[in-house]
Amino acid sequence: MTDMAQTHYRLGMNYFRGKGVEKSFVEAMKWFRLAAQHKYPKAIFMLGRMYDNGQGTTANPAEAAKYYQAAAELGYARAQNTLGQAYIKGRGVPANYDQALHWFRKAAEQNFSDAQYNLGLMYAKGHGVPKDFIEAKRWWAMAAEQGNPKVQFTLGHMYLVGKGVKKNYSKARQWLRQAAEQGLPTAQYHLGMMYARGTGVLQSYTEASKWLRKAAEQNFLDAIYNLGKLHSSGSEEVRDPLTAVTLLKQAATRGHQRAKVLLGQHYAKGNGIQQDLQLAYHWWLEAANSGNPDAQYNLGIMYLNGKGVQTDAMEGKRWLTLAADQGHTKAQYCLGMMYSTGKGVPQDIDEAFRWKEAAEFWESL
């Protein structure tokens, strides 16, 4: 490897990034080729990346894989990891778990954290090796100690749900916080939910709001919904119905079913917004048609009481039955009362008993 090769590589990177020169993938490729002639592995890898992404040339995954292979054989860990991913996906090469394992291990043994994560994933999923969470955790711990946020989150989530390890909320919080502090939205969301629920930590809606907001600012959908929920019904220091409605609208318009249900409740009660039963009906109908039992129950009650719609006992019964069949106990009790009193349906004591018994069964679980 010569100083000239390094110089050519740096020039290629300048053109690739537009650093000090006008960005040009064609020029970048020219300089990378010159460095590659001296077997400079970083330049060879960059040629592979450019063929992979169609930068300065027509996309050609098979050609990209050849360059990744050449750089990997020269010992370049990043190329080894990328080649392993190509074998996992069958991109430019035939899918082959054995080859993926081989190259991930080569890079992982050089302490390349992404490869350590990928190797751990192979053991966790049993791809090409017997499933082994202990071995997976061993590789992930190495990557996490290097500060890889994706791996820190994986470890934190394992300890949080007890997958492959015993539940350990202290370790879960430790790893999730490290990943969250590096800006990983999934970690921020789960850490926020730990504080919201008091899972292994002292419940703190303020702390929950802080982490959920960070994830929501990165458009993490569940975080947007749960932050809205927190502002809707959390403790006094975070309750803010107007902000809740704004967040719930964001989540609902992106298809979050529980957000639609809660947003409908705000419109139905006029909480943080002017009461509007038609908009409550609109959001509940969208969620109900997607199978949400809470929304189905709410529509059933609307039709039974004639609130926001014309009274229609049969339509009310239809929605209540859809919710009840999913184990919604309030809907089951309502159906039981309808059959018991004969309100909107023929009186049927056996059917009333069946629904009330179903409700008691679900409540006991």
Side-chain angles (χ1 to χ4, degrees):
M1 191 182 300
T2 65
D3 290 341
M4 185 62 72
Q6 290 183 15
T7 300
H8 290 160
Y9 169 73
R10 290 193 192 105
L11 275 170
M13 289 305 299
N14 287 343
Y15 278 108
F16 185 83
R17 294 170 175 161
K19 185 179 178 182
V21 293
E22 186 177 347
K23 189 172 185 175
S24 170
F25 290 140
V26 172
E27 275 297 302
M29 186 167 263
K30 180 184 84 174
W31 291 108
F32 288 146
R33 286 192 190 283
L34 287 171
Q37 289 174 7
H38 298 278
K39 298 190 182 300
Y40 195 71
K42 290 182 179 180
I44 297 169
F45 169 79
M46 286 303 298
L47 286 170
R49 178 176 167 183
M50 294 183 80
Y51 273 108
D52 217 352
N53 298 330
Q55 295 167 313
T57 184
T58 304
N60 188 333
E63 191 69 12
K66 291 177 185 176
Y67 283 104
Y68 293 149
Q69 178 94 28
E73 288 175 352
L74 289 169
Y76 187 42
R78 189 177 177 190
Q80 292 167 341
N81 180 63
T82 304
L83 185 58
Q85 290 174 318
Y87 276 112
I88 287 285
K89 298 171 184 175
R91 181 172 173 80
V93 290
N96 187 315
Y97 284 152
D98 288 340
Q99 282 294 309
L101 276 165
H102 170 77
W103 290 111
F104 286 150
R105 192 178 298 280
K106 287 274 190 185
E109 287 171 350
Q110 294 190 65
N111 225 22
F112 192 75
S113 67
D114 282 347
Q116 290 168 337
Y117 170 75
N118 287 327
L119 187 56
L121 207 58
M122 298 283 281
Y123 278 104
K125 293 184 174 181
H127 285 170
V129 288
K131 191 176 283 192
D132 186 340
F133 274 106
I134 293 173
E135 188 67 5
K137 194 182 85 166
R138 185 173 79 85
W139 286 107
W140 285 339
M142 292 182 200
E145 291 292 350
Q146 293 187 69
N148 187 311
K150 182 169 61 175
V151 190
Q152 290 169 341
F153 165 73
T154 301
L155 280 175
H157 193 257
M158 281 177 71
Y159 282 114
L160 182 64
V161 301
K163 185 172 183 181
V165 293
K166 286 185 178 180
K167 280 186 182 180
N168 186 320
Y169 293 136
S170 177
K171 287 185 177 179
R173 185 178 71 253
Q174 169 201 335
W175 288 118
L176 288 175
R177 182 176 288 276
Q178 287 189 42
E181 287 173 347
Q182 293 193 67
L184 192 71
T186 48
Q188 292 166 340
Y189 166 72
H190 283 282
L191 184 60
M193 293 307 295
M194 286 184 76
Y195 281 107
R197 294 167 176 159
T199 305
V201 295
L202 185 65
Q203 189 176 46
S204 169
Y205 289 128
T206 302
E207 196 71 6
S209 176
K210 173 184 131 181
W211 290 109
L212 289 174
R213 183 173 292 106
K214 287 178 182 291
E217 287 169 354
Q218 297 189 65
N219 289 317
F220 195 84
L221 188 56
D222 277 340
I224 296 171
Y225 162 69
N226 279 287
L227 185 58
K229 184 179 177 182
L230 205 63
H231 285 304
S232 177
S233 57
S235 60
E236 193 63 36
E237 68 266 23
V238 297
R239 193 177 300 126
D240 183 348
L242 189 59
T243 300
V245 167
T246 301
L247 289 162
L248 292 170
K249 277 183 182 176
Q250 288 179 33
T253 53
R254 288 174 58 188
H256 198 290
Q257 303 308 320
R258 285 174 292 160
K260 292 176 184 179
V261 176
L262 188 50
L263 182 59
Q265 289 173 0
H266 275 266
Y267 276 112
K269 296 176 181 177
N271 184 17
I273 201 164
Q274 186 176 351
Q275 186 182 43
D276 190 328
L277 293 176
Q278 291 302 310
L279 279 172
Y281 177 84
H282 163 78
W283 289 112
W284 285 342
L285 183 62
E286 280 204 7
N289 283 331
S290 296
N292 185 283
D294 288 327
Q296 292 167 343
Y297 166 75
N298 290 340
L299 286 181
I301 297 300
M302 285 187 91
Y303 277 109
L304 288 183
N305 295 335
K307 294 286 182 71
V309 293
Q310 284 191 331
T311 303
D312 187 334
M314 291 307 294
E315 188 67 2
K317 173 180 171 287
R318 182 175 79 84
W319 285 113
L320 288 174
T321 303
L322 287 169
D325 284 341
Q326 295 189 68
H328 196 286
T329 54
K330 287 184 179 179
Q332 291 167 339
Y333 272 121
C334 281
L335 285 172
M337 290 302 296
M338 287 177 75
Y339 281 108
S340 179
T341 61
K343 182 181 177 181
V345 293
Q347 191 174 36
D348 186 331
I349 300 303
D350 289 339
E351 194 69 2
F353 179 77
R354 182 173 79 85
W355 282 116
K356 288 180 179 178
E357 189 178 51
E360 289 165 2
F361 168 76
W362 282 102
E363 281 192 335
S364 69
L365 291 179

